[in-house]
Amino acid sequence: MVSNRYHEEPITDNPKPSCFLRHNSPLAQVILIGVVCFCCPGMLNALSGMGGGGQLNHTASNNSLTALYTAFSISSILGAAIHNILGPHLTLFLGCSTYVLYTSSFLLYNHFHHQAFAVAAGALLGVGAGLLWAAQGAIITSYPPTNMKGSYISIFWTIFNMGGVIGGLIPFILNYHRTEAASVNDGTYVAFMCFMSLGALLSLAILPACKVVRDDGSSCTNMLHSNVSTEGVEVLKLFFNWKVLLLVPAAWSSNFFYPYQFNDVNAVLFNLRTRGLNNVCYWGAQMVGSVGIGYVMDFSFERRRVRGVVGIVVVAVLGSVIWGGGLANQVRYSSNDLPEKLDFKNSGSHFAWPFLLYFSFGLLDAMFQSLVYWVIGALADDSEILSRYSGFFKGVQSAGAAVAWQVDEHKVSFMSQLIVNWVLTTISYPLLFVLVVLGVKDEGQ
């Protein structure tokens, strides 16, 4: 049995009204985890969105990301158990610390061009990211009140993706006058590392679920800390849980499209400074998408199950339109016939359509993942259970991403990658529909 650092009874008295945001309120904790993810995975997203980790040659980045997501796929599932044993703040701190190491490996790669350190740092980051996202999933799905989970998820997603926006501005500003084919400069990586270090420190302010008090006086869970044997059994049970298994296609596909979008659209079609601008807009679109789907999931209809079905239909229709637009764009070029790089200042109308498509990819990504997190949050209310569900989701998601980065590294045709991405996301919608209809209860049931 692991010792319990927070061995006190959960707080059940109604908190006193205050004009200030309580640190132990669900909203404050969701905002705080949003800021932590703004600094760490948000900045990593901006770095990856540059294509090739900001490097002209994508090999080191693709191989490091394969190592990252392979380790991530395992650590995400085990991360839920570690979260339930250590608590969120220690789990998050351990996870956040690995982001700085990974970014430093590309700083060194700028000078020595040896990918071994980048690959090893990627594997370590995979372990750390599994810890971070297991804790994050438990917080955003279990801390909010039942009728506000969609809104709280959208608040988190907005803050988190602001990291991608700011992170996209960093290479855009620092590399503005470098329109030629080149890797990003050292200052870009140093700026990312500063943000990531701040995120690691802020993670220590996250509270365990038993200390978080909702406005009605209830705590998020009565669990204090779990133990190794219990978590081992519960993790194994996930592989036989029909609710969790229905999430597999959505989880696998939800990061599978990143290599195609980042490397084969953004990096292939646009020059260095324009890729930075595109990143700003891609992650900005995610903020818009998360707010939009959050409204649908919380306020569109009275019954929760109906809101879930409507959300799936909205995302499915929008996804079909956007991937159809991607197909129309992809027929114009191939890996054997690369187009001239587009620049936002000099390419005129030729820049507009690919830019709009890339913006729409960001919009869809946020709506799709926010929808899935809402579904996970609607399956239970307890932090202990939802941390396992979220960890399993991230594990499968990361396994898909590991495969996807190697698919891109092995020069699979752009068109084939697009079709596979479109098919995978489309398969997930009817399964999510079944999960909502059979697995989600309306409030009061």
Side-chain angles (χ1 to χ4, degrees):
M1 178 73 72
V2 176
S3 63
N4 173 27
R5 294 188 58 187
Y6 299 103
H7 191 66
E8 53 246 34
E9 293 299 320
I11 304 169
T12 55
D13 294 334
N14 288 328
K16 296 180 180 179
S18 173
C19 59
F20 300 102
L21 186 62
R22 290 181 291 111
H23 177 234
N24 68 336
S25 69
L27 180 58
Q29 292 297 301
V30 168
I31 290 173
L32 188 53
I33 188 62
V35 174
V36 169
C37 289
F38 166 102
C39 292
C40 292
M43 292 296 157
L44 179 68
N45 282 344
L47 181 63
S48 300
M50 290 290 296
Q55 295 293 316
L56 183 60
N57 187 325
H58 295 178
T59 299
S61 175
N62 283 354
N63 288 335
S64 69
L65 288 169
T66 300
L68 189 162
Y69 284 107
T70 301
F72 197 173
S73 65
I74 300 171
S75 67
S76 293
I77 299 174
L78 299 179
I82 294 171
H83 166 267
N84 289 342
I85 294 170
L86 295 182
H89 67 302
L90 291 179
T91 304
L92 285 166
F93 181 76
L94 291 173
C96 290
S97 301
T98 60
Y99 283 80
V100 184
L101 178 67
Y102 178 76
T103 305
S104 70
S105 72
F106 282 93
L107 177 61
L108 291 178
Y109 188 84
N110 251 2
H111 298 276
F112 301 106
H113 300 289
H114 297 304
Q115 64 170 306
F117 181 39
V119 174
L124 288 173
L125 175 56
V127 175
L131 299 179
L132 183 148
W133 285 105
Q136 174 270 347
I139 291 168
I140 69 167
T141 57
S142 67
Y143 286 21
T146 301
N147 63 338
M148 292 294 289
K149 288 192 177 186
S151 299
Y152 278 52
I153 291 171
S154 69
I155 290 171
F156 162 80
W157 213 260
T158 299
I159 299 171
F160 160 47
N161 284 298
M162 180 62 74
V165 173
I166 302 300
L169 283 172
I170 291 171
F172 175 65
I173 294 171
L174 295 181
N175 300 276
Y176 183 81
H177 296 293
R178 305 173 72 206
T179 58
E180 76 284 356
S183 300
V184 300
N185 58 22
D186 289 355
T188 302
Y189 293 120
V190 171
F192 283 140
M193 291 167 64
C194 290
F195 275 105
M196 292 171 176
S197 299
L198 175 62
L201 293 175
L202 289 174
S203 68
L204 295 173
I206 296 289
L207 295 177
C210 62
K211 286 194 167 187
V212 178
V213 184
R214 298 183 178 129
D215 289 341
D216 62 1
S218 63
S219 61
C220 299
T221 184
N222 290 324
M223 182 196 78
L224 297 179
H225 281 289
S226 185
N227 59 72
V228 174
S229 59
T230 297
E231 291 303 319
V233 171
E234 293 301 325
V235 166
L236 290 176
K237 286 182 179 179
L238 292 174
F239 293 90
F240 303 95
N241 185 324
W242 67 271
K243 295 178 182 179
V244 173
L245 295 179
L246 285 177
L247 288 169
V248 168
W252 183 274
S253 63
S254 58
N255 273 185
F256 200 87
F257 44 67
Y258 280 163
Y260 173 76
Q261 292 176 0
F262 295 162
N263 286 356
D264 305 333
V265 177
N266 197 27
V268 165
L269 295 182
F270 305 97
N271 65 14
L272 181 60
R273 69 177 182 183
T274 305
R275 284 169 13 217
L277 174 64
N278 289 350
N279 261 345
V280 173
C281 297
Y282 182 95
W283 302 112
Q286 296 233 2
M287 297 165 64
V288 176
S290 64
V291 171
I293 196 64
Y295 178 85
V296 172
M297 305 313 292
D298 277 351
F299 304 112
S300 58
F301 291 90
E302 182 176 352
R303 295 177 56 195
R304 178 163 64 175
R305 191 179 290 134
V306 173
R307 297 196 301 270
V309 170
V310 170
I312 293 169
V313 171
V314 169
V315 175
V317 171
L318 186 62
S320 298
V321 171
I322 292 173
W323 282 114
L327 178 63
N329 178 70
Q330 189 58 72
V331 296
R332 299 163 52 213
Y333 69 98
S334 70
S335 55
N336 297 319
D337 183 24
L338 297 179
E340 182 179 349
K341 300 284 187 181
L342 297 172
D343 182 78
F344 75 98
K345 289 185 68 176
N346 302 323
S347 299
S349 60
H350 296 291
F351 166 76
W353 169 249
F355 168 79
L356 179 61
L357 173 65
Y358 196 66
F359 179 91
S360 299
F361 280 150
L363 188 79
L364 178 61
D365 180 21
M367 296 183 73
F368 185 79
Q369 293 206 55
S370 295
L371 169 67
V372 176
Y373 270 115
W374 181 92
V375 173
I376 293 173
L379 296 177
D381 288 317
D382 190 85
S383 173
E384 183 179 11
I385 296 171
L386 290 175
S387 68
R388 299 181 190 122
Y389 286 0
S390 299
F392 186 91
F393 167 74
K394 295 300 293 187
V396 176
Q397 182 189 65
S398 303
V403 172
W405 287 108
Q406 278 304 296
V407 166
D408 189 68
E409 177 60 23
H410 283 77
K411 311 302 180 186
V412 174
S413 72
F414 297 161
M415 182 62 75
S416 296
Q417 291 189 55
L418 181 145
I419 292 173
V420 168
N421 283 315
W422 193 353
V423 169
L424 285 173
T425 53
T426 302
I427 289 173
S428 67
Y429 298 128
L431 298 181
L432 288 175
F433 178 86
V434 172
L435 184 55
V436 167
V437 171
L438 299 181
V440 174
K441 295 181 179 181
D442 290 319
E443 290 89 348
Q445 287 189 323

